[in-house]
Amino acid sequence: AGLSTGLGGVLVALKGDIGDRFLAGSLGFSAGVMIYISLDELLPAAERYGKHHQAILGVISGMAVMAGTLLVL
């Protein structure tokens, strides 16, 4: 998320506008990184503490909420 934020800030400062494709790509990249971190780091840690099912339910619920907001907007 920090990489795309910094790169977007530099591009806006230099160019004045970033395209819709770049914005969509950078947001998609950030979302992919966050999903990777959730699945690769947080779920194994939750399993060690015995909260694996609750963590998976939280991930699925969060994705459902995000998908729902996309449908509303």
Side-chain angles (χ1 to χ4, degrees):
L3 176 66
S4 59
T5 302
L7 185 58
V10 169
L11 285 175
V12 168
L14 295 177
K15 189 177 175 187
D17 184 25
I18 57 173
D20 290 339
R21 286 186 177 184
F22 178 78
L23 180 61
S26 63
L27 290 174
F29 175 76
S30 297
V33 169
M34 297 305 282
I35 290 171
Y36 173 78
I37 289 170
S38 295
L39 296 178
D40 190 54
E41 299 290 333
L42 297 177
L43 286 180
E47 188 171 339
R48 283 193 298 271
Y49 292 107
K51 304 290 185 182
H52 185 72
H53 294 292
Q54 291 173 347
I56 289 176
L57 181 61
V59 169
I60 292 171
S61 299
M63 288 181 179
V65 167
M66 293 302 290
T69 58
L70 289 174
L71 292 175
V72 171
L73 298 175

